[in-house]
Amino acid sequence: MSTPLLTVQNLRKLYSRGTGSVGLDGVSFSVAAGETVALVGESGSGKTTCARLLTRLIEAEGGAVQFGGVDWLAMRGEALRHARGRLQMVFQDPIAAFNPRASLRRLLSDPFRLQGLGRQEIAARVRDAFQEVGLPDTLLDRLPHEVSGGQRQRVAIARALASKPELLILDEPVSALDVSVRAQILNLLRRLQRDRGCGYLFISHDLAVVRAIADRILVLHQGRIVEEGDTETVLADPRHPYTQSLIAAVPRLIEPGRTHHDG
Ligand SMILES: Nc1ncnc2c1ncn2[C@@H]1O[C@H](COP(=O)(O)OP(=O)(O)OP(=O)(O)O)[C@@H](O)[C@H]1O
Ligand SMILES: [Mg+2]
């Protein structure tokens, strides 16, 4: 197999809590180009901590990350600023991350402006980006709170893709959406991955969603990976008691005859 896009080794960041600690307690995994790896686990298991470490929003206490051939945790200053576009993140509800007074056009222009493009080029790229995620031009002058949650998530995805990332970290990207919109966004993500070939680290506590999108699953429990494998294998034949309990909580999942290509 070729070198993975992302290789995480023994990544650690602990927060003290009472007499013990919580956070991320030494996790190792890899993501290949074009692959979707799901990080699953209950609330507080360390999923977002992992995302924040990889996006360099917080500093690791230990461990190593190779991303796209570079020592990712050693990147600093200007080099890191330049490289940030290669690894982008999408949050559960982007409303908190978006400037509430900026139109969608403006929000989508920002990454292209950072790339130093001219006005006309930016306008064209914004229209293309909107189209790529299935949004009509007529929404361009709306503010974030003037569109639906699903439309907002499409904008967040378009914005994340503007810098042509090799890896997208999606932290519960469909958890705030209702079921039909959720399916549309998952389809969009699958299509974008086919078109662009970028890797996804897909964080979710929802095994039905994970089943619909992931090639592989990592099961995080109290800051450690307790099980990993192909999605279908892990869901059909979980080895760790914690994974078994996660699956037992969603009885629909063990119905036979569904494949992960179902809507
Ligand atoms: N900045 C912080 N200071 C102290 N504790 C923190 C901090 N960030 C996270 N934690 C703790 O670390 C643990 C893991 O948090 P994290 O946000 O990674 O969980 P999660 O798996 O994303 O959960 P959820 O599914 O609820 O989003 C939790 O117990 C959380 O309270
Ligand atoms: Mg979280």
Side-chain angles (χ1 to χ4, degrees):
M1 207 181 115
S2 58
T3 318
L5 174 62
L6 176 80
T7 305
V8 175
Q9 283 163 307
N10 207 18
L11 190 61
R12 239 172 89 92
K13 172 75 186 177
L14 292 172
Y15 300 103
S16 51
R17 172 72 47 87
T19 52
S21 53
V22 294
L24 210 62
D25 194 10
V27 307
S28 303
F29 62 91
S30 64
V31 180
E35 184 184 33
T36 298
V37 176
L39 188 57
V40 307
E42 70 197 334
S43 182
S45 56
K47 305 181 297 293
T48 298
T49 301
C50 184
R52 291 164 65 82
L53 288 166
L54 294 177
T55 47
R56 301 288 313 272
L57 290 170
I58 55 174
E59 283 295 303
E61 252 166 57
V65 175
Q66 288 286 320
F67 172 61
V70 303
D71 180 351
W72 187 245
L73 300 185
M75 301 278 276
R76 297 268 181 277
E78 193 60 16
L80 177 60
R81 255 193 304 284
H82 273 289
R84 277 194 190 279
R86 301 175 64 187
L87 190 162
Q88 287 284 297
M89 184 150 169
V90 172
F91 300 90
Q92 178 166 346
D93 185 349
I95 197 105
F98 285 169
N99 173 355
R101 292 195 195 84
S103 66
L104 303 185
R105 183 194 304 280
R106 173 64 203 293
L107 289 170
L108 259 183
S109 299
D110 288 343
F112 296 120
R113 198 169 296 126
L114 282 175
Q115 292 165 29
L117 301 176
R119 272 178 75 117
Q120 295 207 330
E121 179 71 15
I122 291 173
R125 296 281 189 100
V126 166
R127 275 194 306 275
D128 289 350
F130 238 54
Q131 198 168 37
E132 189 180 17
V133 297
L135 288 172
D137 282 6
T138 49
L139 294 184
L140 274 169
D141 293 308
R142 301 263 185 101
L143 297 174
H145 70 270
E146 294 174 333
V147 297
S148 72
Q151 288 167 335
R152 214 152 42 229
Q153 205 52 306
R154 288 176 192 265
V155 175
I157 291 166
R159 199 167 190 245
L161 290 176
S163 58
K164 298 198 188 329
E166 293 146 76
L167 182 71
L168 211 55
I169 299 180
L170 301 123
D171 192 355
E172 305 273 8
V174 298
S175 304
L177 306 175
D178 68 40
V179 175
S180 66
V181 178
R182 186 175 295 180
Q184 291 167 14
I185 297 291
L186 292 176
N187 282 333
L188 171 68
L189 288 170
R190 272 198 292 261
R191 174 167 62 72
L192 291 170
Q193 187 175 55
R194 259 200 320 272
D195 294 350
R196 291 168 168 258
C198 60
Y200 291 161
L201 181 63
F202 191 99
I203 295 173
S204 180
H205 65 273
D206 184 335
L207 291 177
V209 164
V210 163
R211 186 176 195 193
I213 193 145
D215 302 308
R216 272 196 304 127
I217 296 186
L218 311 169
V219 181
L220 196 61
H221 179 48
Q222 295 179 351
R224 293 169 185 240
I225 292 175
V226 296
E227 179 152 9
E228 71 173 290
D230 290 344
T231 302
E232 286 304 315
T233 309
V234 170
L235 294 183
D237 189 20
R239 293 302 159 102
H240 195 279
Y242 177 69
T243 318
Q244 290 166 359
S245 71
L246 282 181
I247 292 170
V250 216
R252 277 184 316 113
L253 268 181
I254 47 179
E255 276 171 26
R258 286 198 51 187
T259 75
H260 90 271
H261 297 292
D262 292 355

